[in-house]
Amino acid sequence: MPTDRYCVFGNPVAHSKSPRIHALFAAQTGQGISYEALLAPLDGFDAAVRDFIAANGRGANVTVPFKEEAFRLATQLTPRAQAAGAVNTLVFDQGGITGDNTDGAGLVRDLKHNLGCDPAGRRILLLGAGGASRGAILPLLLENPASLVIANRTEEKAARLALEFARLPGCAMEVKPEGIGFGQLAGRQFDLIINATSAGLSDAVLPVPTFSFAPHCVAYEMLYGRETPFMAQARAAGARVADGLGMLVEQAAEAFFVWRGVRPRTAPVLAALASES
Ligand code: ATR
């Protein structure tokens, strides 16, 4: 059977778990694909993609720091990529280069299916107003939460982001997001708190009041592979804590589905990764 080529572009990329995840998906579903990690030069993302297409590449994932460049490179965008302003999944075919974004769908799927935490009806706090946060907003709003507050160190960025999504054309959502600074969290409680900041990478502590973690709160850290100060803080406040490994596997499964039309089962892959780390 001929092998269809896929890859993940990043810089750095050697640490990526995506080749392992997609190898497990391929084995499980019997799909004849190969999937490799490709280091693109910081100033050579477009050329790396075009070389890969010329070498019969059928699709690619895109990770840090190329998601915005991939957004610009795509000749067409899915609505969720358009809303996210970033692309993590590319499809190469006769129609050109399609840019998609499966990160938000991966987050929602991890919450609902793996963690039993349906965003519907919950008061949600999203920490951060960068790319990771932006990609999560529309998928969360579409789940009909009771409310969605975006809190950021730089208040103005949160306010701008919230306004942008409140005005999203063609979206008749009941809930309009609200953007605030961390200082305005005092006295407010949430049932689901998602950390989409990069603070954990430098072990920085976020000024989230203990009171903000409502009873039975779920605290979700988008990073994985380390216990961040946010996770420790949430645990101390009595919250149920999850890291972003499930989101990683679910966004990969969604990309696999986009490419192959087959949805792999994620539970065995998550279990395999957890036992390997
Ligand atoms: P990403 O694509 O991972 O979201 P980004 O666009 O650089 O990366 O955004 C990083 C986010 O983490 C921002 O919301 C940033 O807050 P600012 O907008 O105020 O810069 C947040 N962040 C990073 N380090 C932080 C820290 N030590 N404390 C609080 N927020 C932090």
Side-chain angles (χ1 to χ4, degrees), residues 107-108 111 119 124 136-145 148 194:
L107 168 69
V108 167
L111 286 166
I124 303 179
I137 297 172
L138 184 61
L140 287 171
L141 285 174
L142 291 173
E143 294 298 317
N144 293 316
L148 177 64
I194 300 167

Side-chain angles (χ1 to χ4, degrees), residues 199-241:
L201 292 174
S202 56
D203 282 333
V205 177
L206 296 169
V208 180
T210 301
F211 180 77
S212 292
F213 298 85
H216 311 294
C217 179
V218 170
Y220 195 97
E221 169 63 83
M222 280 199 190
L223 300 176
Y224 60 88
R226 63 197 291 158
E227 172 83 1
T228 64
F230 170 74
M231 293 168 77
Q233 179 185 12
R235 245 184 266 286
R240 185 152 69 90
V241 175

Side-chain angles (χ1 to χ4, degrees), residues 68 128-133 152-154 157 182 196-199 202 204-207:
E68 283 81 17
S133 177
N152 195 44
R153 178 174 61 182
T154 312
K157 274 170 71 179
F182 287 134
T197 76
S198 51
S202 56
V205 177
L206 296 169

Side-chain angles (χ1 to χ4, degrees), residues 13-38:
V13 79
H15 67 284
S16 174
K17 291 185 190 292
S18 292
R20 175 82 180 122
I21 294 171
H22 283 281
L24 289 169
F25 287 164
Q28 183 201 111
T29 58
Q31 292 284 311
I33 70 158
S34 73
Y35 188 108
E36 62 203 294
L38 290 180

Side-chain angles (χ1 to χ4, degrees), residues 236-268:
R240 185 152 69 90
V241 175
D243 74 4
L245 189 66
M247 178 176 170
L248 176 79
V249 173
E250 295 296 345
Q251 64 77 28
E254 185 74 16
F256 194 90
F257 178 70
V258 166
W259 292 326
R260 311 299 300 179
V262 179
R263 191 174 284 287
R265 282 177 302 114
T266 51

Side-chain angles (χ1 to χ4, degrees), residues 18-192:
S18 292
R20 175 82 180 122
I21 294 171
H22 283 281
L24 289 169
F25 287 164
Q28 183 201 111
T29 58
Q31 292 284 311
I33 70 158
S34 73
Y35 188 108
E36 62 203 294
L38 290 180
L39 181 75
L42 290 175
D43 61 352
F45 174 71
D46 284 23
V49 171
R50 294 193 195 287
D51 286 351
F52 188 66
I53 294 171
N56 292 321
R58 299 282 304 271
N61 283 132
V62 182
T63 188
V64 178
F66 298 124
K67 290 185 184 184
E68 283 81 17
E69 268 186 81
F71 179 86
R72 290 191 292 272
L73 178 70
T75 53
Q76 60 229 1
L77 294 163
T78 62
R80 59 190 181 180
Q82 189 84 56
V87 158
N88 81 329
T89 302
L90 292 167
V91 181
F92 312 129
D93 58 23
Q94 312 303 345
I97 301 176
T98 303
D100 196 357
N101 193 313
T102 65
D103 284 332
L107 168 69
V108 167
R109 220 177 155 85
D110 191 32
L111 286 166
K112 284 171 83 166
H113 296 272
N114 301 331
L115 301 168
C117 173
D118 194 329
R122 292 193 188 239
R123 296 164 294 175
I124 303 179
L125 171 61
L126 184 60
L127 300 169
S133 177
R134 174 182 284 272
I137 297 172
L138 184 61
L140 287 171
L141 285 174
L142 291 173
E143 294 298 317
N144 293 316
S147 57
L148 177 64
V149 173
I150 304 163
N152 195 44
R153 178 174 61 182
T154 312
E155 179 183 340
E156 183 203 333
K157 274 170 71 179
R160 217 182 312 130
L161 198 56
L163 196 63
E164 190 185 318
F165 278 87
R167 288 178 177 161
L168 208 60
C171 260
M173 273 149 336
E174 304 264 313
V175 170
K176 301 287 179 206
E178 180 190 353
I180 63 173
F182 287 134
Q184 292 157 264
L185 285 171
R188 305 185 66 159
Q189 283 201 312
F190 302 92
D191 311 301
L192 170 60

